Amino acid sequence: MAEPRRSLPDVADLFDSHGAELLRYCTGRVGPTVAEDVVADTFLIAHQRRHRLADGPARAWLYGIASNLLRRHRRSETRALRALARTGRDLDQTDIADGAAARADASALTRRLAAVLAALPARQRDVLLLYAVAELGYEEIARTLDIPLGSVQSALHRARVKLRAALATDCAAHESPDGGPR
């Protein structure tokens, strides 16, 4: 007896369910212009390969496709983060108001964080951004990146340690000798 034919997932439904969050995640990684292209390519590939998605987690599958596409943009992402770390200017933003003290402090912190993110190994950066920006859980990240759960936990821990160290260094630089803000 022949197996009943399984219905393929409707990519339009997947887009309605996950498109906005995937765009938010990709925008956080590569900026709005490239993110739109990555998300469009993600759903194009999802449509072409929809036969591979059985009854598994569509969200993790889509984030996996997007992560693979983002990996192709790794050099551009790293260059942009390094430029942001050097200059404090986001290459995707053209209208930046310089002048407010709060903005300057935020800019300095942004540059420091961008430098730390650029220096992280690729796996640690992917895990951290999938956790912090895409808000995926450990198991979803493991499925997305096709790595063991323990590797996700280890990579996230190492990335957090590096970020905390950078923030502690940044905060210490902004304190006066008596422990208060300068």
Side-chain angles (χ1 to χ4, degrees), residues 77-91 107-119:
E77 177 185 36
T78 301
R79 275 194 306 269
L81 286 170
R82 287 184 179 144
L84 179 60
R86 273 192 322 275
T87 66
R89 293 192 182 263
D90 188 346
L91 299 177
S107 179
L109 180 60
T110 300
R111 287 193 309 269
R112 182 71 189 123
L113 288 175
V116 173
L117 286 172

mmCIF file of all heavy atoms in Angstrom, residues 77-91 107-119:
data_model
loop_
_atom_site.group_PDB
_atom_site.id
_atom_site.type_symbol
_atom_site.label_atom_id
_atom_site.label_comp_id
_atom_site.label_asym_id
_atom_site.label_seq_id
_atom_site.Cartn_x
_atom_site.Cartn_y
_atom_site.Cartn_z
ATOM 1 N N GLU A 77 29.566 41.959 7.659
ATOM 2 C CA GLU A 77 29.113 42.227 9.021
ATOM 3 C C GLU A 77 30.299 42.594 9.906
ATOM 4 O O GLU A 77 30.244 43.575 10.659
ATOM 5 C CB GLU A 77 28.396 40.993 9.572
ATOM 6 C CG GLU A 77 27.935 41.137 11.004
ATOM 7 C CD GLU A 77 27.330 39.852 11.547
ATOM 8 O OE1 GLU A 77 27.816 38.752 11.192
ATOM 9 O OE2 GLU A 77 26.395 39.951 12.337
ATOM 10 N N THR A 78 31.372 41.836 9.809
ATOM 11 C CA THR A 78 32.553 42.098 10.633
ATOM 12 C C THR A 78 33.157 43.455 10.286
ATOM 13 O O THR A 78 33.519 44.225 11.171
ATOM 14 C CB THR A 78 33.590 40.969 10.457
ATOM 15 O OG1 THR A 78 32.975 39.731 10.846
ATOM 16 C CG2 THR A 78 34.811 41.202 11.311
ATOM 17 N N ARG A 79 33.246 43.757 9.000
ATOM 18 C CA ARG A 79 33.767 45.071 8.588
ATOM 19 C C ARG A 79 32.896 46.192 9.138
ATOM 20 O O ARG A 79 33.402 47.208 9.616
ATOM 21 C CB ARG A 79 33.843 45.171 7.064
ATOM 22 C CG ARG A 79 35.109 44.609 6.477
ATOM 23 C CD ARG A 79 35.283 45.036 5.024
ATOM 24 N NE ARG A 79 34.156 44.727 4.167
ATOM 25 C CZ ARG A 79 34.024 43.605 3.469
ATOM 26 N NH1 ARG A 79 34.951 42.686 3.495
ATOM 27 N NH2 ARG A 79 32.949 43.411 2.718
ATOM 28 N N ALA A 80 31.581 46.037 9.069
ATOM 29 C CA ALA A 80 30.675 47.080 9.564
ATOM 30 C C ALA A 80 30.813 47.256 11.076
ATOM 31 O O ALA A 80 30.827 48.385 11.577
ATOM 32 C CB ALA A 80 29.229 46.748 9.199
ATOM 33 N N LEU A 81 30.933 46.146 11.815
ATOM 34 C CA LEU A 81 31.102 46.242 13.265
ATOM 35 C C LEU A 81 32.424 46.916 13.614
ATOM 36 O O LEU A 81 32.493 47.730 14.537
ATOM 37 C CB LEU A 81 31.026 44.853 13.909
ATOM 38 C CG LEU A 81 29.636 44.235 13.981
ATOM 39 C CD1 LEU A 81 29.726 42.776 14.397
ATOM 40 C CD2 LEU A 81 28.739 45.014 14.927
ATOM 41 N N ARG A 82 33.467 46.594 12.887
ATOM 42 C CA ARG A 82 34.765 47.232 13.141
ATOM 43 C C ARG A 82 34.714 48.720 12.814
ATOM 44 O O ARG A 82 35.297 49.539 13.522
ATOM 45 C CB ARG A 82 35.860 46.524 12.357
ATOM 46 C CG ARG A 82 36.185 45.175 12.966
ATOM 47 C CD ARG A 82 37.334 44.486 12.271
ATOM 48 N NE ARG A 82 37.576 43.209 12.935
ATOM 49 C CZ ARG A 82 37.942 42.118 12.315
ATOM 50 N NH1 ARG A 82 38.141 42.125 11.015
ATOM 51 N NH2 ARG A 82 38.134 41.006 12.999
ATOM 52 N N ALA A 83 34.022 49.082 11.723
ATOM 53 C CA ALA A 83 33.873 50.498 11.379
ATOM 54 C C ALA A 83 33.071 51.228 12.449
ATOM 55 O O ALA A 83 33.411 52.350 12.843
ATOM 56 C CB ALA A 83 33.201 50.647 10.012
ATOM 57 N N LEU A 84 32.020 50.592 12.950
ATOM 58 C CA LEU A 84 31.216 51.176 14.017
ATOM 59 C C LEU A 84 32.053 51.339 15.274
ATOM 60 O O LEU A 84 31.982 52.361 15.956
ATOM 61 C CB LEU A 84 29.979 50.311 14.287
ATOM 62 C CG LEU A 84 29.033 50.754 15.395
ATOM 63 C CD1 LEU A 84 28.475 52.138 15.102
ATOM 64 C CD2 LEU A 84 27.902 49.745 15.529
ATOM 65 N N ALA A 85 32.896 50.355 15.576
ATOM 66 C CA ALA A 85 33.761 50.433 16.746
ATOM 67 C C ALA A 85 34.758 51.585 16.616
ATOM 68 O O ALA A 85 35.056 52.273 17.583
ATOM 69 C CB ALA A 85 34.508 49.107 16.938
ATOM 70 N N ARG A 86 35.269 51.797 15.404
ATOM 71 C CA ARG A 86 36.242 52.873 15.168
ATOM 72 C C ARG A 86 35.602 54.246 15.186
ATOM 73 O O ARG A 86 36.137 55.188 15.764
ATOM 74 C CB ARG A 86 36.930 52.685 13.811
ATOM 75 C CG ARG A 86 38.137 51.823 13.812
ATOM 76 C CD ARG A 86 38.905 51.930 12.493
ATOM 77 N NE ARG A 86 38.091 52.034 11.292
ATOM 78 C CZ ARG A 86 37.575 50.999 10.626
ATOM 79 N NH1 ARG A 86 37.796 49.777 11.041
ATOM 80 N NH2 ARG A 86 36.856 51.188 9.541
ATOM 81 N N THR A 87 34.474 54.387 14.514
ATOM 82 C CA THR A 87 33.916 55.713 14.264
ATOM 83 C C THR A 87 32.706 56.057 15.114
ATOM 84 O O THR A 87 32.383 57.228 15.271
ATOM 85 C CB THR A 87 33.490 55.849 12.791
ATOM 86 O OG1 THR A 87 32.408 54.941 12.542
ATOM 87 C CG2 THR A 87 34.640 55.568 11.849
ATOM 88 N N GLY A 88 31.998 55.051 15.606
ATOM 89 C CA GLY A 88 30.763 55.307 16.339
ATOM 90 C C GLY A 88 29.586 55.599 15.437
ATOM 91 O O GLY A 88 28.507 55.931 15.884
ATOM 92 N N ARG A 89 29.784 55.470 14.139
ATOM 93 C CA ARG A 89 28.709 55.750 13.179
ATOM 94 C C ARG A 89 28.266 54.462 12.521
ATOM 95 O O ARG A 89 29.067 53.729 11.969
ATOM 96 C CB ARG A 89 29.182 56.723 12.110
ATOM 97 C CG ARG A 89 29.460 58.083 12.660
ATOM 98 C CD ARG A 89 29.639 59.080 11.534
ATOM 99 N NE ARG A 89 29.947 60.372 12.087
ATOM 100 C CZ ARG A 89 29.036 61.313 12.288
ATOM 101 N NH1 ARG A 89 27.791 61.105 11.959
ATOM 102 N NH2 ARG A 89 29.379 62.463 12.801
ATOM 103 N N ASP A 90 26.966 54.238 12.580
ATOM 104 C CA ASP A 90 26.371 53.091 11.921
ATOM 105 C C ASP A 90 26.304 53.402 10.435
ATOM 106 O O ASP A 90 25.752 54.421 10.034
ATOM 107 C CB ASP A 90 24.979 52.839 12.486
ATOM 108 C CG ASP A 90 24.353 51.557 12.006
ATOM 109 O OD1 ASP A 90 24.856 50.966 11.027
ATOM 110 O OD2 ASP A 90 23.358 51.133 12.608
ATOM 111 N N LEU A 91 26.863 52.523 9.620
ATOM 112 C CA LEU A 91 26.909 52.785 8.191
ATOM 113 C C LEU A 91 25.533 52.845 7.549
ATOM 114 O O LEU A 91 25.370 53.428 6.484
ATOM 115 C CB LEU A 91 27.764 51.714 7.500
ATOM 116 C CG LEU A 91 29.221 51.656 7.965
ATOM 117 C CD1 LEU A 91 29.952 50.522 7.272
ATOM 118 C CD2 LEU A 91 29.921 52.975 7.734
ATOM 119 N N SER A 107 26.836 56.148 22.287
ATOM 120 C CA SER A 107 27.682 55.883 21.121
ATOM 121 C C SER A 107 28.973 55.197 21.524
ATOM 122 O O SER A 107 29.427 54.264 20.866
ATOM 123 C CB SER A 107 27.963 57.189 20.386
ATOM 124 O OG SER A 107 28.795 56.959 19.282
ATOM 125 N N ALA A 108 29.575 55.652 22.611
ATOM 126 C CA ALA A 108 30.814 55.029 23.089
ATOM 127 C C ALA A 108 30.564 53.584 23.496
ATOM 128 O O ALA A 108 31.357 52.692 23.164
ATOM 129 C CB ALA A 108 31.388 55.823 24.259
ATOM 130 N N LEU A 109 29.463 53.342 24.186
ATOM 131 C CA LEU A 109 29.134 51.979 24.583
ATOM 132 C C LEU A 109 28.839 51.118 23.359
ATOM 133 O O LEU A 109 29.277 49.967 23.274
ATOM 134 C CB LEU A 109 27.934 51.973 25.537
ATOM 135 C CG LEU A 109 27.470 50.603 26.028
ATOM 136 C CD1 LEU A 109 28.588 49.883 26.777
ATOM 137 C CD2 LEU A 109 26.256 50.750 26.921
ATOM 138 N N THR A 110 28.124 51.680 22.397
ATOM 139 C CA THR A 110 27.819 50.957 21.164
ATOM 140 C C THR A 110 29.093 50.570 20.436
ATOM 141 O O THR A 110 29.239 49.447 19.956
ATOM 142 C CB THR A 110 26.917 51.802 20.244
ATOM 143 O OG1 THR A 110 25.701 52.076 20.937
ATOM 144 C CG2 THR A 110 26.609 51.094 18.948
ATOM 145 N N ARG A 111 30.038 51.502 20.373
ATOM 146 C CA ARG A 111 31.320 51.207 19.713
ATOM 147 C C ARG A 111 32.044 50.084 20.436
ATOM 148 O O ARG A 111 32.582 49.172 19.815
ATOM 149 C CB ARG A 111 32.201 52.453 19.665
ATOM 150 C CG ARG A 111 31.737 53.478 18.654
ATOM 151 C CD ARG A 111 32.780 54.551 18.394
ATOM 152 N NE ARG A 111 33.317 55.172 19.582
ATOM 153 C CZ ARG A 111 32.831 56.267 20.165
ATOM 154 N NH1 ARG A 111 31.766 56.850 19.646
ATOM 155 N NH2 ARG A 111 33.394 56.776 21.235
ATOM 156 N N ARG A 112 32.043 50.141 21.756
ATOM 157 C CA ARG A 112 32.739 49.101 22.541
ATOM 158 C C ARG A 112 32.063 47.750 22.328
ATOM 159 O O ARG A 112 32.727 46.740 22.122
ATOM 160 C CB ARG A 112 32.733 49.487 24.026
ATOM 161 C CG ARG A 112 33.463 48.522 24.887
ATOM 162 C CD ARG A 112 34.976 48.611 24.662
ATOM 163 N NE ARG A 112 35.611 47.518 25.361
ATOM 164 C CZ ARG A 112 36.396 46.621 24.785
ATOM 165 N NH1 ARG A 112 36.700 46.723 23.522
ATOM 166 N NH2 ARG A 112 36.909 45.641 25.483
ATOM 167 N N LEU A 113 30.749 47.710 22.387
ATOM 168 C CA LEU A 113 30.027 46.455 22.187
ATOM 169 C C LEU A 113 30.227 45.931 20.772
ATOM 170 O O LEU A 113 30.393 44.723 20.562
ATOM 171 C CB LEU A 113 28.540 46.623 22.490
ATOM 172 C CG LEU A 113 28.194 46.788 23.964
ATOM 173 C CD1 LEU A 113 26.704 47.078 24.121
ATOM 174 C CD2 LEU A 113 28.591 45.574 24.773
ATOM 175 N N ALA A 114 30.223 46.829 19.790
ATOM 176 C CA ALA A 114 30.441 46.413 18.405
ATOM 177 C C ALA A 114 31.828 45.813 18.244
ATOM 178 O O ALA A 114 32.004 44.806 17.544
ATOM 179 C CB ALA A 114 30.256 47.591 17.458
ATOM 180 N N ALA A 115 32.816 46.404 18.907
ATOM 181 C CA ALA A 115 34.175 45.864 18.837
ATOM 182 C C ALA A 115 34.242 44.473 19.462
ATOM 183 O O ALA A 115 34.876 43.567 18.910
ATOM 184 C CB ALA A 115 35.157 46.800 19.530
ATOM 185 N N VAL A 116 33.561 44.287 20.586
ATOM 186 C CA VAL A 116 33.547 42.977 21.243
ATOM 187 C C VAL A 116 32.823 41.959 20.352
ATOM 188 O O VAL A 116 33.299 40.835 20.170
ATOM 189 C CB VAL A 116 32.894 43.056 22.639
ATOM 190 C CG1 VAL A 116 32.732 41.678 23.249
ATOM 191 C CG2 VAL A 116 33.721 43.949 23.560
ATOM 192 N N LEU A 117 31.687 42.345 19.784
ATOM 193 C CA LEU A 117 30.958 41.439 18.890
ATOM 194 C C LEU A 117 31.798 41.069 17.674
ATOM 195 O O LEU A 117 31.816 39.912 17.255
ATOM 196 C CB LEU A 117 29.637 42.067 18.431
ATOM 197 C CG LEU A 117 28.525 42.114 19.471
ATOM 198 C CD1 LEU A 117 27.350 42.922 18.944
ATOM 199 C CD2 LEU A 117 28.090 40.727 19.887
ATOM 200 N N ALA A 118 32.501 42.032 17.114
ATOM 201 C CA ALA A 118 33.333 41.759 15.943
ATOM 202 C C ALA A 118 34.470 40.801 16.282
ATOM 203 O O ALA A 118 34.900 40.016 15.440
ATOM 204 C CB ALA A 118 33.906 43.061 15.377
ATOM 205 N N ALA A 119 34.947 40.858 17.528
ATOM 206 C CA ALA A 119 36.073 40.016 17.939
ATOM 207 C C ALA A 119 35.643 38.616 18.370
ATOM 208 O O ALA A 119 36.492 37.719 18.478
ATOM 209 C CB ALA A 119 36.836 40.688 19.081
#
